């Protein structure tokens, strides 16, 4: 299985600021994705992080709010921009091999005051 | 639209019992399914997967059953232990193209009492 490291693991932020979450995978994977998990809820796909090109966003998520980078096969960042309390959530990085198995990091728990 | 759901939000069992967690999916084009376990404060942990060309797959103490006719997925845990207490999610691939993301169901919280 892949080892996926995310940082920060948690943060408390002020309304209106932005936070960038980093994700590092220990081996080359084919796909990387970002998910959001609101308190007590399931996981919702935000976007597919594409290497060297713009991410592919799901309905309800836009690049201006959640800019994503993936400069190489093993690293990606997600920025949560102009945060509001509604953005308080766990943000999860995931990575997949060709086999389709999807592995997750431990998540970044964000609290917006 | 595409969705994956679970029948019960919570399940309580005694240690040593067998647990069955159910999931219904709606996308008949999905051909890959995974069960995840999520403990408090942690990311989802891969348990077992199954492809649509199979009806059953067994792992260590876990079995996944797939019924494509009624679009139903289940996870069976044998001899449930307190360490199995967690939230369990089923997930299906968003499309049958290689490398697509997974869509997650709502989750079932399994509580194991000793």
């Amino acid at each position: 299985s892949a080892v996926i490291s995310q940082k920060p693991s948690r943060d408390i932020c002020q309304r209106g600021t932005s936070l960038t979450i980093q994700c590092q995978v220990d081996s080359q994977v084919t796909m990387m994705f970002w998910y959001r998990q609101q308190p007590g809820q399931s996981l919702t796909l935000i976007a597919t992080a594409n290497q060297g090109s713009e991410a592919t966003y799901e309905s309800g998520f836009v690049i201006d709010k959640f800019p994503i980078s993936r400069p190489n096969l093993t690293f990606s960042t997600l920025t949560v921009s102009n945060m509001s309390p509604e953005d308080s959530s766990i943000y999860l990085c995931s990575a997949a091999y060709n086999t389709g198995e999807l592995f997750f990091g431990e998540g970044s728990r964000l609290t917006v005051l | 639209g595409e969705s994956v759901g679970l029948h019960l939000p919570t399940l309580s069992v005694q240690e040593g019992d067998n647990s069955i967690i159910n999931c219904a999916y709606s996308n008949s084009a999905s051909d890959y399914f995974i069960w995840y376990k999520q403990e408090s404060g942690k990311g989802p942990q891969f348990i077992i997967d199954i492809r649509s060309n199979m009806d059953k797959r067994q792992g260590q103490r876990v079995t996944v059953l797939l019924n494509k006719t009624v679009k139903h997925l289940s996870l069976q845990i044998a001899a449930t232990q307190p360490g199995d207490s967690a939230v369990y999610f089923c997930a299906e691939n968003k499309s049958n193209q290689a490398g697509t993301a997974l869509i997650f169901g709502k989750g079932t919280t399994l509580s194991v009492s000793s």
Side-chain angles (χ1 to χ4, degrees):
Chain A
S1 63
V3 175
I4 302 174
S5 303
Q6 278 186 241
K7 58 180 180 181
S9 58
R10 59 178 62 234
D11 207 342
I12 300 173
C13 302
Q14 296 298 318
R15 181 195 300 259
T17 62
S18 298
L19 177 73
T20 295
I21 301 167
Q22 298 181 0
C23 177
Q24 179 73 54
V25 186
D26 68 336
S27 57
Q28 292 191 345
V29 293
T30 54
M31 306 295 291
M32 293 183 74
F33 307 96
W34 286 96
Y35 285 81
R36 181 175 71 184
Q37 186 176 28
Q38 295 177 307
Q41 302 297 313
S42 184
L43 284 74
T44 300
L45 179 65
I46 297 173
T48 302
N50 299 310
Q51 185 200 355
S53 65
E54 191 172 292
T56 304
Y57 290 85
E58 297 300 305
S59 175
F61 298 96
V62 295
I63 188 171
D64 289 346
K65 177 66 176 177
F66 298 102
I68 289 170
S69 76
R70 187 180 175 193
N72 57 54
L73 283 174
T74 61
F75 185 78
S76 179
T77 67
L78 167 74
T79 299
V80 186
S81 303
N82 188 24
M83 288 182 286
S84 67
E86 292 72 32
D87 295 319
S88 297
S89 191
I90 301 171
Y91 293 87
L92 292 149
C93 173
S94 64
Y97 296 105
N98 279 330
T99 54
E101 295 170 357
L102 193 64
F103 299 97
F104 285 85
E106 296 292 2
S108 298
R109 185 180 298 270
L110 175 62
T111 302
V112 184
L113 302 177
Chain B
E2 299 171 4
S3 66
V4 177
L6 289 173
H7 293 298
L8 290 175
T10 62
L11 177 64
S12 296
V13 301
Q14 292 286 322
E15 182 178 3
D17 288 350
N18 295 331
S19 303
I20 300 176
I21 300 172
N22 296 305
C23 173
Y25 64 95
S26 61
N27 184 8
S28 55
S30 296
D31 62 358
Y32 183 57
F33 305 87
I34 302 180
W35 280 100
Y36 286 92
K37 172 187 181 183
Q38 187 175 30
E39 297 174 287
S40 180
K42 296 187 177 181
Q45 177 187 359
F46 176 97
I47 301 174
I48 191 168
D49 61 356
I50 189 168
R51 298 196 180 273
S52 60
N53 61 352
M54 302 174 69
D55 297 322
K56 179 180 179 179
R57 188 156 188 238
Q58 287 185 293
Q60 189 176 17
R61 278 202 309 119
V62 295
T63 301
V64 56
L65 299 176
L66 175 63
N67 185 331
K68 295 180 289 294
T69 301
V70 295
K71 289 186 282 189
H72 185 268
L73 192 69
S74 68
L75 176 70
Q76 300 178 359
I77 305 173
T80 313
Q81 302 168 0
D84 295 326
S85 295
V87 181
Y88 290 80
F89 295 97
C90 68
E92 62 178 326
N93 56 350
K94 191 166 177 282
S95 77
N96 56 16
Q97 293 180 342
T100 57
L102 297 177
I103 303 300
F104 282 75
K106 288 184 170 57
T108 291
T109 300
L110 176 64
S111 298
V112 183
S113 53
S114 51

